[in-house]
Amino acid sequence: MAGKFVSYLRVSTDRQGRSGLGLEAQRTAVSDYLAGRTLIAEVVEVESGKRADRPKLTEALALCRAHRATLIIAKLDRLARNVAFVSNLMESGVEFTAVDFPQANRLTIHILAAVAEHEAGMISARTKAALAAAKARGVKLGGFRGRAGTPAECAIARAERTKQADAQARALAPILARLDPGGTLPLRQLARDLASEDVPTPSGHGTWTAGAVSRVRKRLAAGP
């Protein structure tokens, strides 16, 4: 098992978070399992089991996407039954492993594939509805046959590319905020800092440049 990892530790109450009850056991389990492999960050969530939102999980997944890292958790039993955890993990596209049940990687792929299939069906239905509406307005439609796409097809492709770029920019936001909390660093310096921390570029290829940093900042400034 190689690569980089971000650990996600969770306790259910604020009292457990302050006392470390359960937390140290999770941390030890993760450390023993990694056995010296690269741990990018540790993220701790103190949440009631009744809450659906998991802000620290969102942070951990963003770090995983930014660093092309794997999310590692100590115990799967509680999280696997948590709808927020499964849905957030599905949407993130982040790989994960569980110390107490490493085979969960294969199991989770099956689970997420089933959910993804359902979502794909919904997207297909929405796309067909949009194309039908365009056709009703008189827009000439046609399938892709090795030619330039129709305006509707191109719009769908552009929207998907924009969605992916926006998601990657949001994943990089916590790192940019840490490296440049005041927003005053020159773009070239920030690019060098990102490269020195081995943070992948949005495309996953090449090296950081001032222009790449600028584009990420513009996306973040534009908002969701």
Side-chain angles (χ1 to χ4, degrees), residues 107-121:
L107 174 62
T108 303
I109 287 172
H110 289 311
I111 295 172
L112 300 189
V115 179
E117 183 179 3
H118 174 68
E119 178 63 16

Side-chain angles (χ1 to χ4, degrees), residues 137-158:
R137 294 194 302 270
V139 177
K140 187 176 181 181
L141 303 176
F144 186 76
R145 297 290 189 276
R147 51 159 178 77
T150 66
E153 291 166 343
C154 291
I156 292 171
R158 285 195 300 271

Side-chain angles (χ1 to χ4, degrees), residues 6-29:
V6 172
S7 67
Y8 173 68
L9 313 180
R10 190 178 78 88
V11 289
S12 299
T13 66
D14 187 51
R15 181 169 173 265
Q16 284 180 325
R18 290 195 304 268
S19 68
L21 180 64
L23 200 59
E24 284 304 322
Q26 293 180 57
R27 183 176 290 123
T28 299

Side-chain angles (χ1 to χ4, degrees), residues 135-206:
K135 185 176 181 180
R137 294 194 302 270
V139 177
K140 187 176 181 181
L141 303 176
F144 186 76
R145 297 290 189 276
R147 51 159 178 77
T150 66
E153 291 166 343
C154 291
I156 292 171
R158 285 195 300 271
E160 182 60 28
R161 288 196 296 269
T162 298
K163 179 182 176 181
Q164 292 176 358
D166 287 344
Q168 186 62 20
R170 289 193 297 271
L172 290 165
I175 298 175
L176 292 176
R178 174 174 55 80
L179 292 175
D180 186 18
T184 57
L185 275 182
L187 295 176
R188 289 182 180 177
Q189 178 60 51
L190 196 48
R192 285 194 292 270
D193 291 345
L194 287 166
S196 68
E197 291 201 5
D198 197 28
V199 176
T201 61
S203 67
H205 305 288

Side-chain angles (χ1 to χ4, degrees), residues 17-208:
R18 290 195 304 268
S19 68
L21 180 64
L23 200 59
E24 284 304 322
Q26 293 180 57
R27 183 176 290 123
T28 299
V30 168
S31 178
D32 290 346
Y33 186 77
L34 291 179
R37 296 176 179 87
T38 304
L39 183 65
I40 298 296
E42 175 189 283
V43 179
V44 178
E45 187 104 75
V46 181
E47 289 291 347
S48 164
K50 295 181 180 180
R51 288 192 59 175
D53 60 316
R54 293 285 185 268
K56 288 297 183 179
L57 174 60
T58 300
E59 178 185 331
L61 292 174
L63 285 168
C64 286
R65 287 193 297 269
H67 287 277
R68 304 294 199 276
T70 297
L71 184 73
I72 184 168
I73 59 177
K75 293 180 67 64
L76 181 69
D77 56 354
R78 293 163 74 190
L79 288 176
R81 294 191 296 269
N82 185 281
V83 175
F85 174 77
V86 174
S87 61
N88 278 309
L89 190 64
M90 179 194 72
E91 293 170 3
S92 73
V94 168
E95 294 293 332
F96 93 102
T97 190
V99 173
D100 67 333
F101 188 21
Q103 299 89 340
N105 278 333
R106 183 179 296 275
L107 174 62
T108 303
I109 287 172
H110 289 311
I111 295 172
L112 300 189
V115 179
E117 183 179 3
H118 174 68
E119 178 63 16
M122 295 179 64
I123 291 173
S124 176
R126 289 195 295 267
T127 301
K128 288 178 180 178
L131 292 175
K135 185 176 181 180
R137 294 194 302 270
V139 177
K140 187 176 181 181
L141 303 176
F144 186 76
R145 297 290 189 276
R147 51 159 178 77
T150 66
E153 291 166 343
C154 291
I156 292 171
R158 285 195 300 271
E160 182 60 28
R161 288 196 296 269
T162 298
K163 179 182 176 181
Q164 292 176 358
D166 287 344
Q168 186 62 20
R170 289 193 297 271
L172 290 165
I175 298 175
L176 292 176
R178 174 174 55 80
L179 292 175
D180 186 18
T184 57
L185 275 182
L187 295 176
R188 289 182 180 177
Q189 178 60 51
L190 196 48
R192 285 194 292 270
D193 291 345
L194 287 166
S196 68
E197 291 201 5
D198 197 28
V199 176
T201 61
S203 67
H205 305 288
T207 58
W208 280 100

